[in-house]
């Protein structure tokens, strides 16, 4: 999950499809994001590498569409509907998630536990 | 005695002798005999004069820019109509004079001049492309130069105006949705299209330019905008140039205070421009860049100009005929013929036509048709009419006969008239052009948004007080009512707590439960937070946060505290113009340990977003000891600078 300049970023990702929910007049996803290239990465409580300026999930509302879809606290979002999230500002990320005319967002997320799982399953063989 | 010279006058001063004469209907007492059309026009003139008076009064009385612009537009239209009616009246008088002269000298001119039929001409979907310099177009700062524009369309004696459209550099085209139909147009018609514009600065209407609202509110009229304002109020430094581009339809308005429109561009359309699809026509532009009402026009206007001649839509002739069908020489069939458009429809009987039954026979009558009267049929008294058409390479001839000679004559006459009309109206007679009748305008339905202010996450611009103020202004009415109802929510009791205590507690919260804490703050950077913050003017967020428990986090996520006197706070907003605080910001920089600086930092960071709301909280939080910078902008900038690198923002999605 760490970013080495000049090297492609590789990670084990999980696809998560979140269907937005209507709350009043708005479509919500039910989670909060933090991070971005314009933010201070050292304050990110979820990132392993404190220089990681990616977008992280900082809160998942209980029972919300995100939780139902499998998003977990601390996930790092790599892509949203095909848009890259590893090198975007906070506001750009928010915008990509909150497009009014889309009611489904397909995320690629990664988390430490995924890598562990893959490593373990690989070790078994 | 009606003096011809007087119509050459550009102005008809109010209260002048001429106007008094018009009012008194002096024309009726003129030497010439009054005709019914005269009194019609007279009535129209009287009506327009009354409208004009009304518009003047409205202009003098209205305070809002929008109203003033609309009233000024009506005034201009009324003037134009009065001018048109006056000249029409003049023409009619002259025609009468000529007639009388002709009669007197017993000069019987040829009376069988054919006159072509009239047509309905419709112009719709007017679109005028603009050509902003790319630097202008992408500029984010600076005054948004706005103009109010509308089109005046004149054909013959009919003048119509379109709705007014506000144009600024975010628009690429000026679009007028109006569909305008002129009813009596002759083939040689000239449809004059004029584009008027009026510079509009200081637009305080909510929802138009939220971006610049705050700057306008907090700063006084700058030198340049003041100059522009003055420019619009006086007769106009640009009027000589604006009137240079050809004779405008309108009269110079008697000096009435208020916004004034200037002619920006014009063009004249005629029969050659009529087509069933959209076409672009050139515009002659008057005025130059120096004028306040200037807009960078691309130089063309795109519209759909359609014409429906009466000969295409109405039955020009109908009656009983006999048609020779089949090969037999004696096989006459009685039909009811109807000449309409490019066809002669033959029905079994008249009732069929009314019942929309398919005709027995349809004979095309178009430019290629040849009609001649055949030699006298020895068996009938009248001449036969032979209609020949070319279908493919073959010539098909239909023979018709009317019942009597007079009928035959009438039919021939009708056919000649039809041919004449077609030759006059040219392309309009190839196919019927559709003209939609303009539907009555529906008032724009404004749906008040439900839910918390937070939900209005529609602001796409960067953090700007203006946006918040805008949203707030719109929400005032709703909240006023709600705030007055019921008891204050339970959480209001929190605000009695000692503020300085909270940051301590806040800092001690385990890093993982930032969920409740970060909720409200989360929205800081995103514009959504702007709204939510303003909604919760109580900036005592530390206290508020304290009361939150993790399990209620999801439900309270959408819950925003409301102030009881939001409107009062908002009224002070405009004076202050800067955001108060809503310490949404996340865990303050770990470095700062003491509550004081923390609070200040928190306060500062939220300043950008929670513009107005903070206002309200200011009074409560006076003990927090933050300083209130004098200049709104300056403080914003400072705070924003502090905000950006120091905090780790979160947004709720």
């Amino acid at each position: 999950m760490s970013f080495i300049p000049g090297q492609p970023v590789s990670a084990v990702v999980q696809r998560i499809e979140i269907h937005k929910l209507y709350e009043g007049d708005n479509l919500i996803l039910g989670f909060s994001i933090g991070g971005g290239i314009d933010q201070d990465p050292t304050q990110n409580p979820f990132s392993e590498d404190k220089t990681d300026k990616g977008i992280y999930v900082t809160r998942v509302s209980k029972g919300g569409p995100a939780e139902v879809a499998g998003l977990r606290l601390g996930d790092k979002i790599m892509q949203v509907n095909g848009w890259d999230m590893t090198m975007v500002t906070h506001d750009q990320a928010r915008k990509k998630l909150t497009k009014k005319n889309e009611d489904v967002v397909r995320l690629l997320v990664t988390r430490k536990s995924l890598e562990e799982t893959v490593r373990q399953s690989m070790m078994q063989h | 005695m009606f003096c011809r010279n007087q119509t050459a006058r550009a102005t008809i001063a109010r209260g002048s002798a001429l106007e008094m004469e018009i009012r008194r209907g002096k024309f009726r007492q003129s030497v010439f005999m009054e005709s019914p059309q005269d009194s019609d026009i007279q009535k129209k003139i009287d009506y327009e004069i009354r409208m004009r008076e009304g518009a003047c009064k409205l202009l003098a009385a209205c305070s809002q820019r929008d109203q003033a612009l609309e009233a000024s537009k009506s005034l201009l239209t009324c003037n134009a109509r009065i001018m048109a009616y006056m000249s029409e009246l003049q023409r009619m008088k002259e025609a009468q004079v000529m007639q009388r002269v002709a009669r007197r000298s017993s000069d019987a001119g040829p009376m069988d001049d054919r006159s072509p039929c009239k047509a309905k001409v419709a112009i719709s979907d007017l679109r005028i492309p603009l050509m902003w310099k790319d630097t202008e177009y992408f500029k984010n700062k600076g005054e948004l130069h706005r103009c109010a524009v509308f089109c005046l369309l004149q054909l013959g004696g009919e003048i119509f105006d379109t709705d007014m459209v506000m144009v600024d550099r975010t628009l690429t085209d000026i679009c007028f949705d109006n569909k305008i139909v002129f009813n009596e147009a002759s083939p040689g018609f000239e449809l004059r299209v004029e584009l008027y514009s009026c510079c509009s600065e200081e637009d305080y209407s909510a929802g138009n330019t939220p971006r610049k609202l705050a700057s306008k509110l907090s700063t006084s009229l700058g030198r340049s905008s003041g100059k522009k304002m003055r420019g619009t109020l006086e007769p106009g430094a640009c009027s000589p140039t604006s009137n240079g581009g050809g004779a405008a339809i309108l009269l110079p308005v008697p000096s009435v205070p208020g916004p004034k429109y200037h002619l920006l561009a014009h063009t004249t359309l005629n029969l050659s421009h009529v087509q069933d699809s959209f076409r672009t026509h050139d515009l002659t532009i008057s005025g130059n860049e120096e004028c306040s009402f200037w807009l960078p026009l691309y130089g063309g206007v795109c519209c759909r100009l359609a014409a429906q001649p009466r000969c295409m839509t109405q039955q020009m002739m109908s009656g009983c005929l006999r048609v020779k069908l089949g090969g037999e020489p004696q096989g006459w069939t009685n039909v009811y013929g109807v000449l309409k458009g490019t066809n002669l429809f033959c029905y079994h009987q008249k009732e069929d036509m009314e019942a929309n039954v398919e005709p027995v026979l349809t004979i095309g009558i178009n430019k290629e048709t040849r009609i001649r009267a055949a030699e006298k049929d020895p068996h009938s008294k009248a001449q036969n009419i032979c209609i020949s058409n070319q279908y493919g390479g073959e010539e098909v001839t239909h023979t018709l006969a009317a019942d009597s000679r007079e009928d035959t004559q009438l039919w021939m006459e009708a056919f000649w008239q039809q041919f004449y009309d077609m030759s006059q109206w040219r392309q309009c007679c190839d196919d019927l052009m559709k003209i939609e009748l303009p539907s009555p305008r529906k008032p724009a339905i404004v749906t008040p948004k439900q839910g918390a202010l937070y939900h209005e996450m529609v602001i796409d611009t960067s953090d700007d007080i203006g946006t918040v103020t805008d949203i707030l202004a719109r929400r005032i009415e709703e909240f006023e009512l709600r705030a007055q109802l019921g008891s204050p929510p339970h959480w209001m009791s929190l605000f009695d707590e000692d503020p300085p205590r909270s940051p301590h507690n806040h800092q001690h919260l385990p890093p993982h439960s930032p969920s409740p804490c970060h909720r409200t703050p989360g929205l800081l950077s995103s514009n959504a937070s702007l709204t939510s913050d303003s909604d919760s003017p109580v900036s005592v967020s530390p206290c508020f946060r304290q009361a939150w428990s993790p399990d209620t986090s999801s439900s309270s996520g959408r819950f925003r505290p409301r102030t009881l006197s939001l409107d009062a706070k908002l009224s002070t907003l405009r004076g202050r113009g800067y955001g108060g605080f809503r310490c949404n910001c996340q865990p303050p920089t770990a470095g700062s340990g003491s509550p004081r600086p923390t609070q200040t930092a928190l306060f500062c960071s939220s300043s950008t977003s929670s513009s107005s709301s903070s206002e309200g909280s200011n009074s409560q939080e006076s003990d927090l000891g933050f300083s209130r910078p004098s200049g709104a902008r300056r403080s914003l900038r400072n705070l924003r600078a502090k905000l950006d690198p120091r905090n780790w923002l979160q947004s709720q999605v």
Side-chain angles (χ1 to χ4, degrees):
Chain A
M1 286 214 303
S2 57
F3 162 67
I4 303 164
Q7 303 294 317
V9 175
S10 61
V12 182
V13 291
Q14 179 183 354
R15 280 178 213 280
I16 290 185
E17 186 172 291
I18 306 180
H19 294 264
K20 293 189 189 175
L21 186 69
Y22 268 101
E23 176 137 333
D25 248 359
N26 286 18
L27 281 171
I28 58 148
L29 289 160
F31 68 97
S32 291
I33 53 166
I37 54 179
D38 55 338
Q39 303 294 311
D40 181 9
T42 59
Q43 297 183 44
N44 186 343
F46 305 105
S47 58
E48 231 186 47
D49 177 3
K50 288 304 171 195
T51 61
D52 185 2
K53 293 187 169 178
I55 306 291
Y56 282 79
V57 174
T58 59
R59 177 191 67 82
V60 179
S61 49
K62 230 174 164 50
E67 194 185 58
V68 164
L71 197 67
R72 299 286 167 257
L73 191 65
D75 286 2
K76 175 176 173 185
I77 304 180
M78 310 294 281
Q79 268 187 29
V80 171
N81 284 342
W83 294 100
D84 170 60
M85 291 280 126
T86 60
M87 206 47 69
V88 289
T89 63
H90 183 91
D91 208 44
Q92 285 170 346
R94 181 192 59 83
K95 282 188 184 164
K96 290 284 184 274
L97 283 162
T98 54
K99 283 196 187 289
K100 286 214 135 173
N101 54 355
E102 293 172 355
D103 49 9
V104 175
V105 287
R106 294 184 174 84
L107 314 179
L108 280 184
V109 303
T110 184
R111 60 180 83 97
K112 186 123 168 292
S113 55
L114 283 177
E115 282 206 40
E116 302 280 344
T117 318
V118 171
R119 208 175 297 131
Q120 277 177 14
S121 59
M122 275 167 50
M123 287 197 305
Q124 281 167 13
H125 296 284
Chain B
M1 171 96 171
F2 181 62
C3 181
R4 239 175 254 181
N5 296 336
Q6 293 192 338
T7 53
R9 276 207 297 179
T11 45
I12 297 173
R14 293 186 61 198
S16 73
L18 179 61
E19 187 169 314
M20 296 311 291
E21 296 212 342
I22 293 168
R23 281 198 172 165
R24 273 188 261 123
K26 197 80 162 89
F27 292 132
R28 296 200 187 129
Q29 299 161 22
S30 67
V31 176
F32 314 114
M33 289 218 300
E34 179 198 311
S35 55
Q37 297 101 310
D38 275 6
S39 50
D40 259 355
I41 295 214
Q42 202 49 57
K43 282 199 202 101
K44 284 189 202 164
I45 292 179
D46 289 342
Y47 176 74
E48 291 299 327
I49 289 178
R50 279 201 305 277
M51 293 286 288
R52 185 172 70 172
E53 281 172 9
C56 286
K57 286 199 195 108
L58 184 61
L59 202 54
C62 65
S63 51
Q64 292 213 341
R65 187 81 183 170
D66 284 354
Q67 288 177 356
L69 287 168
E70 286 286 344
S72 184
K73 174 168 85 94
S74 331
L75 186 62
L76 200 147
T77 314
C78 288
N79 278 335
R81 287 194 179 129
I82 291 173
M83 186 67 162
Y85 293 146
M86 298 286 293
S87 35
E88 171 115 1
L89 202 59
Q90 168 65 359
R91 259 182 282 118
M92 277 174 31
K93 293 293 175 194
E94 281 182 7
Q96 281 186 352
V97 174
M98 299 310 281
Q99 266 194 350
R100 282 173 80 88
V101 167
R103 240 177 275 154
R104 254 182 253 136
S105 57
S106 61
D107 179 11
M111 291 307 277
D112 47 16
D113 278 333
R114 253 181 233 285
S115 53
C117 63
K118 299 282 180 187
K120 247 205 268 192
V121 172
I123 182 166
S124 60
D125 304 294
L126 279 153
R127 185 172 64 88
I128 300 172
L130 296 168
M131 189 177 58
W132 298 101
K133 288 202 226 92
D134 50 2
T135 47
E136 270 269 346
Y137 189 70
F138 293 110
K139 228 180 354 178
N140 243 349
K141 304 183 242 194
E143 285 179 8
L144 200 64
H145 177 64
R146 314 187 80 219
C147 281
V149 298
F150 74 97
C151 265
L152 200 65
L153 301 130
Q154 180 183 26
L155 194 155
E158 298 176 85
I159 295 183
F160 292 102
D161 58 348
T162 60
D163 292 335
M164 186 185 71
V165 172
M166 295 301 285
V167 177
D168 55 37
R169 64 165 176 264
T170 62
L171 278 184
T172 53
D173 301 84
I174 308 173
C175 293
F176 296 108
D177 295 328
N178 304 79
K179 297 183 180 41
I180 298 193
V181 177
F182 298 96
N183 284 308
E184 299 293 319
S186 55
F189 73 85
E190 288 209 341
L191 173 58
R192 199 173 152 87
V193 180
E194 296 189 339
L195 182 69
Y196 288 93
S197 86
C198 170
C199 163
S200 162
E201 299 290 334
E202 328 238 304
D203 196 351
Y204 282 95
S205 51
N208 280 345
T209 23
R211 214 174 296 170
K212 295 306 147 208
L213 198 52
S215 51
K216 292 273 190 302
L217 286 171
S218 53
T219 61
S220 57
L221 258 187
R223 193 159 55 110
S224 54
S225 43
K227 230 189 262 177
K228 283 185 193 166
M229 266 290 286
R230 265 175 273 124
T232 56
L233 288 180
E234 4 167 347
C238 296
S239 38
T241 47
S242 70
N243 285 330
I249 312 171
L250 59 95
L251 297 163
V253 182
S255 54
V256 177
K260 190 150 339 164
Y261 286 94
H262 304 270
L263 179 66
L264 181 59
H266 67 96
T267 185
T268 309
L269 304 172
N270 51 40
L271 184 59
S272 56
H273 298 118
V274 174
Q275 203 176 327
D276 205 5
S277 55
F278 293 99
R279 273 183 70 172
T280 310
H281 312 278
D282 287 327
L283 273 177
T284 315
I285 303 177
S286 30
N288 52 44
E289 281 195 14
E290 306 305 316
C291 301
S292 63
F293 57 88
W294 171 256
L295 282 174
L297 300 177
Y298 193 74
V301 57
C302 188
C303 65
R304 180 177 175 264
L305 184 63
Q308 269 184 1
R310 297 260 183 272
C311 60
M312 297 294 285
T313 55
Q314 291 173 359
Q315 295 179 12
M316 298 310 282
M317 180 77 194
S318 56
C320 288
L321 288 170
R322 282 174 300 134
V323 173
K324 218 186 248 189
L325 286 176
E328 314 147 33
Q330 300 293 342
W332 290 102
T333 319
N334 283 327
V335 292
Y336 182 77
V338 173
L339 176 61
K340 181 172 162 186
T342 54
N343 291 304
L344 173 65
F345 300 104
C346 300
Y347 298 91
H348 261 308
Q349 36 186 348
K350 189 172 178 182
E351 291 70 30
D352 280 356
M353 178 213 41
E354 281 150 18
N356 269 340
V357 175
E358 285 293 312
V360 168
L361 179 64
T362 304
I363 305 173
I365 310 281
N366 49 44
K367 297 186 197 105
E368 317 297 323
T369 313
R370 305 265 169 272
I371 301 187
R372 59 186 169 81
E375 330 66 52
K376 260 208 166 134
D377 199 340
H379 297 279
S380 66
K381 303 185 191 88
Q383 290 175 309
N384 288 347
I385 304 171
C386 294
I387 304 177
S388 311
N389 274 313
Q390 292 270 54
Y391 290 120
E394 293 190 10
E395 182 169 333
V396 180
T397 305
H398 296 274
T399 313
L400 302 147
D403 292 331
S404 65
R405 185 175 300 186
E406 293 76 27
D407 281 354
T408 315
Q409 200 56 41
L410 283 172
W411 275 102
M412 290 304 287
E413 180 62 33
F415 288 133
W416 292 133
Q417 180 66 34
Q418 191 78 349
F419 285 140
Y420 181 71
D421 288 341
M422 286 194 202
S423 70
Q424 290 294 297
W425 283 105
R426 290 183 259 156
Q427 75 270 26
C428 308
C429 293
D430 291 339
D431 247 326
L432 187 63
M433 295 185 190
K434 278 209 177 311
I435 290 184
E436 280 171 18
L437 290 168
S439 55
R441 219 184 321 166
K442 294 182 199 115
I445 304 164
V446 176
T447 46
K449 281 208 170 112
Q450 299 300 316
L453 199 52
Y454 154 69
H455 287 272
E456 291 189 308
M457 260 186 67
V458 290
I459 320 161
D460 261 352
T461 58
S462 57
D463 304 348
D464 195 331
I465 289 182
T467 340
V468 184
T469 321
D470 201 14
I471 304 274
L472 283 168
R474 270 190 265 135
R475 304 281 292 182
I476 284 179
E477 308 88 58
E478 297 174 53
F479 282 143
E480 244 178 283
L481 190 58
R482 254 195 260 184
Q484 284 159 17
L485 296 169
S487 55
H490 66 280
W491 41 260
M492 286 296 277
S493 56
L494 293 173
F495 305 134
D496 306 327
E497 287 181 44
D498 183 19
R501 200 176 6 116
S502 41
H504 270 299
N505 298 335
H506 174 67
Q507 281 182 318
H508 292 157
L509 284 168
H512 195 77
S513 64
S515 350
C517 301
H518 297 175
R519 181 171 324 288
T520 325
L523 306 165
L524 185 52
S525 66
S526 58
N527 294 322
S529 60
L530 288 177
T531 51
S532 60
D533 289 341
S534 11
D535 189 334
S536 42
V538 189
S539 338
V540 197
S541 29
C543 303
F544 187 43
R545 242 183 274 162
Q546 218 184 341
W548 282 357
S549 49
D551 51 328
T552 59
S553 54
S554 48
S555 54
S556 53
R558 309 270 169 256
F559 178 62
R560 298 277 170 266
R562 307 221 159 95
T563 186
L564 289 178
S565 52
L566 181 60
D567 44 339
K569 306 298 186 281
L570 281 175
S571 57
T572 58
L573 161 79
R574 296 190 180 220
R576 310 282 189 81
Y578 73 94
F581 76 85
R582 176 68 181 154
C583 34
N584 298 344
C585 249
Q586 296 333 313
T589 52
S592 55
S594 61
R596 268 300 153 111
T598 306
Q599 278 180 13
T600 330
L602 289 173
F603 163 76
C604 292
S605 54
S606 41
S607 58
T608 37
S609 41
S610 43
S611 42
S612 54
S613 52
S614 349
E615 272 313 317
S617 41
N618 282 347
S619 49
Q620 295 181 34
E621 267 60 56
S622 47
D623 59 337
L624 282 185
F626 55 80
S627 60
R628 296 172 195 189
S630 45
R633 275 249 184 90
R634 226 184 311 127
S635 66
L636 250 186
R637 262 189 246 116
N638 294 342
L639 297 167
R640 248 198 243 194
K642 282 189 209 157
L643 172 64
D644 278 350
R646 312 276 275 156
N647 301 286
W648 200 66
L649 304 171
Q650 294 182 37
S651 302
Q652 198 157 6
V653 293

